[in-house]
Amino acid sequence: MSVQERKQRERAERERLIVATARELAEQQGWDAVTTRRLAERIEYSQPVLYSHFRGKREIIGAVALQGAAEMAAAVRDATAAADGPRARGAALARAYLDFAAGNPAVYDAMFQLDGGLAFAREDTPEPLKDAFAALLESLGEVAGDDVDPGVFTETFWASLHGLATLTRAGRLPPEYAERRTELLVDRLTVL
């Protein structure tokens, strides 16, 4: 292995450590607790080392969001792979999405609530974000109906799931009806 390859590997390892540490700290104490100073202390590198990887917290949030998008896409695909039929896929997708949001609140915030400097719904949208949407579209496209654009249908279903995830986490919806809300969403939006 050349010196250049070793340096690249070490740099990638430091970057993974920074992102993992930021994610862990955010899940434990919230994003307000994530500062470059605290990250530097936790990973035992200087702040200039952190700044050589990320220009600041915003880029770190973006890196966590991209990682989360890849994880969410995998969770949705895993959950829907064995589902038989469009309605079952829609139900599996909804549960996987809501479970991901509930199980990874800081990551979910990085993806959809915080400014990570990432472009959505544009040509320059990063590939992990495009793939996360594609994972939703793969399961929902066939239930959109003949007269509905599959992408617009998927956006609407996603917006509904996001609303449920956000309102549930904020304590705005009674938890005892969580499953019924999911069933109702799937029943009404997957009419096939």
Side-chain angles (χ1 to χ4, degrees):
M1 174 183 303
S2 73
V3 171
Q4 180 67 17
E5 289 172 330
R6 182 183 54 79
K7 285 183 179 185
Q8 287 175 338
R9 189 185 76 237
E10 288 170 354
R11 180 171 177 76
E13 257 321 296
R14 276 193 310 271
E15 195 166 296
R16 279 191 290 276
L17 179 61
I18 293 165
V19 171
T21 303
R23 182 176 174 164
E24 179 183 316
L25 187 57
E27 291 292 0
Q28 291 171 352
Q29 300 176 29
W31 279 103
D32 287 341
V34 179
T35 64
T36 53
R37 190 170 66 96
R38 288 186 82 187
L39 286 174
E41 288 171 2
R42 282 205 173 195
I43 64 171
E44 299 178 346
Y45 284 106
S46 68
Q47 283 181 303
V49 170
L50 262 72
Y51 285 117
S52 75
H53 291 273
F54 300 99
R55 287 181 282 190
K57 183 175 177 177
R58 182 179 187 219
E59 285 189 5
I60 294 169
I61 290 169
V64 170
L66 293 176
Q67 189 180 72
E71 292 170 9
M72 188 182 77
V76 165
R77 285 185 176 113
D78 287 349
T80 59
D84 187 28
R87 190 196 177 290
R89 274 191 296 285
L93 179 150
R95 285 184 185 87
Y97 183 98
L98 294 170
D99 287 348
F100 180 86
N104 303 280
V107 174
Y108 192 81
D109 284 349
M111 292 168 65
F112 301 119
Q113 304 290 103
L114 302 173
D115 179 10
L118 303 173
F120 283 81
R122 296 188 343 210
E123 283 298 315
D124 60 339
T125 298
E127 205 51 48
L129 298 179
K130 288 179 181 179
D131 188 55
F133 185 77
L136 301 177
L137 183 61
E138 289 163 12
S139 293
L140 296 173
E142 68 184 300
V143 298
D146 294 335
D147 58 342
V148 178
D149 178 271
V152 173
F153 178 82
T154 300
E155 289 169 349
T156 303
F157 199 94
W158 171 31
S160 299
L161 290 173
H162 176 69
L164 287 175
T166 303
L167 291 170
T168 298
R169 187 164 135 216
R172 303 288 199 275
L173 299 174
E176 64 269 19
Y177 299 116
E179 186 61 28
R180 182 65 192 122
R181 280 189 290 275
T182 304
E183 289 172 6
L184 183 62
L185 173 66
V186 171
D187 286 346
R188 293 296 187 246
L189 289 181
T190 58
V191 294
L192 291 181

